[in-house]
Amino acid sequence: MRPIATQGVHHVTLKGANRQTSIDFWEGVLGMPFVFEQPNRDAPSESHLYFDPGDGRLITIFTSEDRMRDDAAVTEDIGSVHHLAFAVSQATFSQIPDRLDARGIKHSGPVDRGFMDSIYFRDPLGLRIELASYRFVPPEGYRVADVMITAHRIRVRAGDFAIEMSHIAEALETLTLSRDSLSRSE
C-alpha cells in the first residue's frame, strides 16, 4: 500500500476564545497579519480568523464572543498538542525576552537546543508556544530537513547523545561539497 505524499503543513486551526483575544495575541504579540475572516462553515455562530505566520501558510482560529480567555495550561495528555513552534531570526530571538517581559508574559528565557535556540511561553488560552531560531542557514538548494537528516546520521555514527553545532558544521560541509564540480568529474 502506497503512502500519501504530503507537501508541507497546510494550516493549523485552534479553538479560540473571543475575536479580540485572538487578534491581540496572534497579531498584537506575534506580529502575524490578520488576513481574513469568515463564518466557521461547520458552526456558523463562530468566526474563523486567519493569520499569516510569515511563510504564507495560515494559522486559523475559531472564535465566539461568548467564550472568554482562560490561561490555565492546556492539558498535555497523550494525543494532545504539546506546543506550536514558530521560526524567528537570530536577530529577533535576541529581543524576545525583553519584548515578552514588557508585555508581562512569563517565559522560559532562552533555551539552548544545541543546533537552535528556543523560548517558551503560553498564549492567552494556555497553549504552549515556542519561538525557535536555527543557528545555521542551509546551503543554497537544500532545506533545513536536509541539514538535519545529515547531521543526525553524523551524530549517530559518532555515538553522540544529541545534535550539536559540530554535527551541523559537518553536515553543512557535506552538503556543500556534494555539489557537482567539473574539476571533480574530469
Side-chain angles (χ1 to χ4, degrees):
M1 190 178 278
R2 293 173 37 208
I4 298 169
T6 63
Q7 296 178 306
V9 173
H10 188 278
H11 71 276
V12 172
T13 299
L14 303 171
K15 187 85 165 188
N18 58 59
R19 182 179 187 275
Q20 197 59 52
T21 296
S22 295
I23 293 169
D24 289 348
F25 181 75
W26 295 97
E27 185 171 51
V29 174
L30 294 181
M32 296 181 185
F34 177 28
V35 294
F36 79 97
E37 174 180 15
Q38 65 183 24
N40 175 354
R41 295 178 73 118
D42 297 321
S45 65
E46 295 181 338
S47 265
H48 198 172
L49 282 58
Y50 292 72
F51 297 87
D52 176 358
D55 62 0
R57 288 170 168 62
L58 299 168
I59 298 290
T60 76
I61 316 293
F62 290 144
T63 65
S64 177
E65 293 311 300
D66 63 354
R67 292 196 298 255
M68 303 314 295
R69 175 183 173 150
D70 178 3
D71 59 3
V74 172
T75 62
E76 295 177 0
D77 298 327
I78 293 172
S80 66
V81 172
H82 184 271
H83 69 276
L84 290 180
F86 298 99
V88 297
S89 69
Q90 282 284 298
T92 298
F93 188 86
S94 69
Q95 299 176 3
I96 291 171
D98 290 341
R99 291 184 185 193
L100 292 175
D101 289 346
R103 294 174 179 274
I105 298 173
K106 290 187 249 178
H107 57 84
S108 64
V111 178
D112 179 347
R113 296 290 182 213
F115 59 92
M116 68 182 206
D117 296 302
S118 299
I119 193 165
Y120 300 90
F121 58 98
R122 297 211 181 254
D123 82 345
L125 305 179
L127 178 64
R128 185 187 325 268
I129 302 292
E130 175 186 10
L131 299 179
S133 181
Y134 288 111
R135 295 177 179 170
F136 64 91
V137 175
E140 187 64 33
Y142 292 99
R143 303 166 305 138
V144 167
D146 299 320
V147 175
M148 296 308 296
I149 195 168
T150 304
H152 169 80
R153 289 177 175 141
I154 292 165
R155 175 193 70 81
V156 169
R157 269 195 317 270
D160 294 333
F161 177 72
I163 294 174
E164 300 295 340
M165 288 303 290
S166 60
H167 305 115
I168 295 295
E170 188 175 338
L172 294 170
E173 181 179 308
T174 299
L175 294 172
T176 300
L177 295 177
S178 70
R179 293 187 178 134
D180 198 11
S181 169
L182 288 176
S183 65
R184 288 194 301 260
S185 62
E186 290 181 355

